[in-house]
Amino acid sequence: MEASHLRKQESDWPLRLLHVASLTSFTREIGNTYNDITEPEYNILSYTWGRFINPGGPALDVRGIDWPIPPVIPEHFTVEQFHKAIETVGANVSFIWVDVSCIPQSHKEESKEAVVLRCEEIGKQIAIFRRAKQAFFWLNKHDLAFLAECKRTLEDREAVSYTNSTSVRSAPDLAIWLAESEKIVESL
């Protein structure tokens, strides 16, 4: 299906979701369907990679996309660690949303339509995060001891308020996010 037709659907569902078992990025079809599954539960994996690009290095092999996945320097994380993080985040769902496989990435041969789709998807991230079953934040440069200390500190504090209604609103929420990050670190 043409991506321009998908834009006309005015859906707040992600344009793409990554099928965890096959590492295939499926495009949303009419009725918010991905690989014949309508409105599937999905988790989100958020992490930092942009400033750690390694031109010519190994990259995650994702099927179903027409852009290159940016390779990351192995000192930041390896392809194997990235794959394991995806498996961990997808342990209780069949699909996840992860930016490099679900938002068209910038590259030399990209079309104008891909640029528009990227901008639209970036603009829908609040809705994408809101629909997710769980969001995981991979703090990949920290060990379990550091994450446990952060979690204890947050659990000891009174509720912390934030102004953005879509963000974490309390220290216990942050502690839960850190616990999820611990799961990813433990799995590696």
Side-chain angles (χ1 to χ4, degrees):
M1 175 178 293
E2 287 184 29
S4 59
H5 176 72
L6 289 171
R7 284 202 314 271
K8 293 176 187 172
Q9 290 183 39
E10 300 286 329
S11 178
D12 61 354
W13 278 81
L15 175 64
R16 293 176 164 272
L17 287 175
L18 180 66
H19 184 252
V20 175
S22 67
L23 277 183
T24 302
S25 181
F26 287 101
T27 303
R28 182 186 72 240
E29 297 183 20
I30 293 174
N32 302 319
T33 301
Y34 305 82
N35 194 31
D36 297 325
I37 300 171
T38 301
E39 297 188 356
E41 287 187 332
Y42 64 91
N43 289 338
I44 291 178
L45 174 59
S46 184
Y47 60 98
T48 302
W49 62 270
R51 64 180 177 263
F52 301 102
I53 291 178
N54 180 21
L60 189 67
D61 183 23
V62 174
R63 294 163 194 79
I65 59 174
D66 62 358
W67 60 83
I69 297 288
V72 176
I73 59 172
E75 295 80 20
H76 189 61
F77 59 77
T78 65
V79 172
E80 293 77 21
Q81 288 171 321
F82 194 18
H83 188 255
K84 185 66 175 170
I86 288 169
E87 288 176 340
T88 300
V89 169
N92 66 341
V93 293
S94 295
F95 292 93
I96 70 168
W97 185 91
V98 60
D99 59 358
V100 297
S101 65
C102 297
I103 295 177
Q105 300 296 296
S106 178
H107 63 285
K108 292 177 185 176
E109 294 84 33
E110 75 180 325
S111 67
K112 288 181 183 178
E113 184 177 34
V115 174
V116 170
L117 287 172
R118 180 172 53 253
C119 292
E120 288 176 356
E121 283 301 283
I122 290 169
K124 290 190 335 186
Q125 285 194 29
I126 291 172
I128 291 169
F129 272 74
R130 190 175 286 145
R131 284 201 173 279
K133 181 176 180 180
Q134 284 183 286
F136 292 78
F137 298 86
W138 184 16
L139 304 174
N140 58 308
K141 296 307 284 182
H142 301 291
D143 61 22
L144 286 174
F146 175 80
L147 294 174
E149 180 60 30
C150 290
K151 184 178 163 192
R152 277 191 300 281
T153 300
L154 289 170
E155 288 170 340
D156 291 343
R157 291 186 181 189
E158 296 293 323
V160 177
S161 294
Y162 291 85
T163 56
N164 185 336
S165 64
T166 61
S167 68
V168 177
R169 287 177 282 227
S170 69
D173 288 342
L174 288 170
I176 291 168
W177 282 5
L178 285 168
E180 297 302 336
S181 188
E182 286 176 338
K183 287 181 188 177
I184 296 171
V185 172
E186 286 174 341
S187 74
L188 304 177

